[in-house]
Amino acid sequence: MSLVLPPGVTRAAFDAALAAFAGVVGRQWVLASDEDRETYLDIYAAGDEADHAPSAAVAPESTEQVQAIVRLANAHRIPLWPISRGKNFGYGGSAPRMSGTVILDLGRMKRILEVNEPLGYCIIEPGVGFYDLHDYLTARKIPLWMSIPGNGWGSVVGNALERGFAATPYGDHTANICGMEVVLPSGDLVRTGMGAMANSRAWPLFKHGFGPSWDQIFVQSNYGVVTRLALWLMPQPEEVLTLTMSVPEPDDLGWLIDVLTPLRIRGVLEHPIGITSYLSAATTTSQRSEWYQGEGAIPESVIREIMSKRAVGWWNFTLRLYGHAEINQARLNVVRRAFAAHTRQQFQITRWSAANPTHGPGAPAPTVAPLQMINWHGGRGGHLGFSPVVPPEAGRVLEQMHATRRRYDECGIDYSSTFYVCGRHVTNINLILYNRDDPHMTANVHRLFDALVKDSAAKGYGEYRTHLSYMDQVAASFDFNGHALQRLNETVKDALDPNGILAPGKNGIWPRALRKPTGSP
Ligand code: ADP
């Protein structure tokens, strides 16, 4: 990948900035060859990789080095894009929003600073991967369980900062952040919450602190570089009951939403519940050509063949009950009663307990197996996620499902979707799989994505997270009072980062010098 310079920066000025960075981190940690740049591209890009091309990367090993780099970036007017491990797959990977941005790779900062077993938290640096923390806990037999997203390759901090989630009681990862250490765009260093006291004893214990609460300001934003984060972990439960069920028709989704939502809101079920369409049973274990070689999206007859050969339903889901056996049994009774009104099917149940750990799944473990799905079409595979938040009502969810499926059909893309029942909302992750080497297919992917963003916005549903290429479009759909939220975000951006050096364009927030008129996608 040839060099694209940051806007307004000459080659000489760029080289001078890299030399200054090298003075802080050492020459070997400034990565600026063509090959280096390629490593930080979006490996699943459906469009031109050059849309989000980094100019170099710099990899500090300490908070002090991050501060020094940020100060130099201000002096040399070099934009920086922080990444923790850069595995934000489906949303841009390690690539920056704006071409020419230098990646601030925090992967070397990977210390697990504290794990507190009785109080259930850890304090970690951004480079700590899900595998690292899992190894640490298992090697020391610490009875705390992690919550791990489908692709366990990334970092615990990076995932929480993007509002990643998983189907566990602690699955809303950003909600389990309790205190951060942040390098501001000025280079200043703050600790949030109770950590703002130099001798705090309660930093990872009380989320709110005194006065305004800042943790969530640094989530999905470009207001700071998080160098340390405290995250709550779940105490190992006494028992886990795992209940699985499949339902045969697309419209069964409706009653499932109506049954599961009150159980979630009332706390009978405590985790996001993923209701996943049939296709994932095929995408991770086979290629599309083994099932269908015709034109357009997979037809219903092939869908039924996949369901029968893979022994799955149109929708498939797992419920888990965690805790004391007596309480689980009472909850199981309530769940069974709620389902009995709609189906005669019984759950398949496995029972894990600390005393009998070989029965059924216990502690979550990281895996990258689901990434196998990108091989669905062959070629250089890729995936995108379209993720609107929908009210948990059968009618609305069914309408959203059918409308989305129609768009997939129009664009000849196989419909693949999970509806996560999260209590007062449903997060609908629609997976778009493609072969990056097929320009006709990738053009259809963009046609599909554009249509989905517009359709959802028209219904009042926004996305919870999106790919770099769609950040402006999604941000523009949050349009109350002439895009008042955008104005607020920009006011904060200008105050904290007047030189606009941190992650320009992240989540649609641009520094003043690079800003288009408010609300324009
Ligand atoms: P992961 O390795 O878990 O996949 P990434 O490192 O790809 O996560 O991070 C996802 C996104 O979150 C990044 O593109 C960046 O916008 C933001 N981000 C990640 N780490 C930090 C951090 N330490 N400070 C500020 N923003 C971050």
Side-chain angles (χ1 to χ4, degrees):
M1 175 62 56
S2 57
L3 175 62
V4 182
L5 291 166
V9 175
T10 63
R11 179 66 204 249
F14 182 71
D15 289 343
L18 292 194
F21 291 161
V24 174
V25 295
R27 280 212 357 239
Q28 72 275 33
W29 296 112
V30 174
L31 308 158
S33 70
D34 286 353
E35 198 183 355
D36 291 331
R37 281 188 277 276
E38 227 151 85
T39 341
Y40 290 95
L41 291 173
D42 175 9
I43 55 162
Y44 294 153
D48 189 351
E49 287 165 339
D51 291 347
H52 307 292
S55 53
V58 53
E61 66 169 356
S62 66
T63 297
E64 294 71 27
Q65 288 190 357
V66 173
Q67 290 181 272
I69 297 289
V70 166
R71 290 198 171 109
L72 286 170
N74 274 288
H76 292 263
R77 299 291 195 271
I78 298 291
L80 297 172
W81 182 268
I83 58 167
S84 287
R85 286 180 50 80
K87 308 294 182 207
N88 194 19
F89 294 146
Y91 297 102
S94 49
R97 167 66 185 87
M98 182 180 78
S99 285
T101 305
V102 172
I103 304 296
L104 182 64
D105 185 339
L106 303 168
R108 293 175 67 211
M109 295 173 60
K110 52 185 312 177
R111 285 181 302 162
I112 297 170
L113 297 158
E114 185 185 347
V115 173
N116 187 306
E117 185 197 319
L119 295 177
Y121 68 79
C122 62
I123 303 180
I124 50 176
E125 291 187 327
V128 174
F130 288 96
Y131 280 95
D132 300 323
L133 187 55
H134 187 259
D135 287 352
Y136 184 98
L137 297 175
T138 43
R140 289 165 181 74
K141 296 193 171 39
I142 298 172
L144 292 173
W145 284 14
M146 295 169 63
S147 179
I148 305 171
N151 162 29
W153 206 354
S155 91
V156 180
V157 170
N159 184 269
L161 292 179
E162 274 298 299
R163 305 202 177 104
F165 62 93
T168 70
Y170 284 48
D172 182 0
H173 298 160
T174 195
N176 285 295
I177 296 173
C178 185
M180 292 176 177
E181 179 184 86
V182 185
V183 174
L184 297 178
S186 62
D188 200 2
L189 184 70
V190 289
R191 288 187 174 173
T192 64
M194 302 313 269
M197 295 176 79
N199 62 347
S200 172
R201 309 305 306 163
W203 188 20
L205 307 180
F206 179 68
K207 288 183 184 173
H208 311 303
F210 179 73
S213 191
W214 284 89
D215 282 358
Q216 293 299 320
I217 296 284
F218 298 110
V219 170
Q220 278 194 12
S221 79
N222 49 12
Y223 300 153
V225 180
V226 177
T227 49
R228 214 175 257 207
L229 183 147
L231 191 78
W232 288 351
L233 300 172
M234 182 169 91
Q236 174 181 296
E238 293 70 17
E239 179 196 78
V240 183
L241 291 185
T242 301
L243 289 60
T244 55
M245 190 184 276
S246 299
V247 292
E249 298 301 331
D251 280 13
D252 286 328
L253 179 65
W255 68 259
L256 279 178
I257 298 290
D258 280 348
V259 168
L260 292 171
T261 295
L263 295 175
R264 275 288 286 131
I265 290 179
R266 286 159 188 268
V268 178
L269 297 167
E270 296 176 302
H271 61 92
I273 302 153
I275 307 175
T276 299
S277 63
Y278 72 95
L279 196 67
S280 63
T283 50
T284 47
T285 51
S286 57
Q287 281 196 299
R288 185 179 203 264
S289 53
E290 296 168 41
W291 302 97
Y292 181 63
Q293 297 188 0
E295 290 290 303
I298 285 185
E300 193 65 27
S301 58
V302 177
I303 291 177
R304 297 290 155 178
E305 191 191 335
I306 293 175
M307 285 168 58
S308 131
K309 289 199 173 144
R310 289 286 191 266
V312 294
W314 222 101
W315 298 108
N316 306 278
F317 63 97
T318 298
L319 311 178
R320 290 201 176 84
L321 301 168
Y322 299 83
H324 293 285
E326 312 88 288
I327 298 175
N328 282 349
Q329 187 57 49
R331 287 186 168 151
L332 177 61
N333 296 342
V334 176
V335 171
R336 278 183 166 146
R337 257 201 320 275
F339 272 78
H342 296 271
T343 179
R344 297 160 77 95
Q345 270 192 83
Q346 296 296 315
F347 286 105
Q348 284 192 344
I349 302 183
T350 56
R351 187 182 301 266
W352 176 96
S353 70
N356 206 349
T358 50
H359 287 232
T367 171
V368 291
L371 279 178
Q372 184 65 25
M373 70 191 174
I374 59 151
N375 202 27
W376 181 235
H377 290 281
R380 284 188 309 154
H383 73 96
L384 268 180
F386 171 72
S387 317
V389 173
V390 183
E393 298 157 25
R396 287 181 188 276
V397 169
L398 284 180
E399 200 272 331
Q400 179 70 3
M401 185 265 289
H402 286 299
T404 306
R405 203 177 159 201
R406 270 196 303 277
R407 289 293 192 197
Y408 270 70
D409 285 347
E410 281 166 24
C411 297
I413 308 236
D414 303 328
Y415 178 69
S416 181
S417 190
T418 300
F419 287 81
Y420 283 94
V421 182
C422 300
R424 291 178 174 81
H425 71 276
V426 171
T427 299
N428 175 210
I429 311 265
N430 296 283
L431 186 64
I432 305 175
L433 294 169
Y434 45 86
N435 171 4
R436 297 178 59 198
D437 296 320
D438 181 337
H440 178 66
M441 192 182 291
T442 52
N444 277 336
V445 166
H446 287 295
R447 200 154 65 85
L448 173 62
F449 210 99
D450 277 335
L452 292 176
V453 174
K454 286 193 188 109
D455 290 351
S456 294
K459 281 181 268 185
Y461 309 152
E463 280 93 288
Y464 94 100
R465 178 181 188 182
T466 200
H467 185 274
L468 300 170
S469 298
Y470 291 93
M471 284 179 172
D472 289 345
Q473 193 175 335
V474 170
S477 70
F478 288 77
D479 59 358
F480 169 74
N481 189 18
H483 302 92
L485 182 68
Q486 182 91 14
R487 289 197 297 279
L488 171 61
N489 288 339
E490 290 172 355
T491 304
V492 176
K493 182 69 177 163
D494 293 343
L496 292 180
D497 187 8
N499 295 322
I501 54 109
L502 201 63
K506 165 91 179 153
N507 283 64
I509 307 169
W510 291 92
R512 194 195 301 276
L514 299 168
R515 212 168 274 160
K516 289 189 253 167
T518 302
S520 58

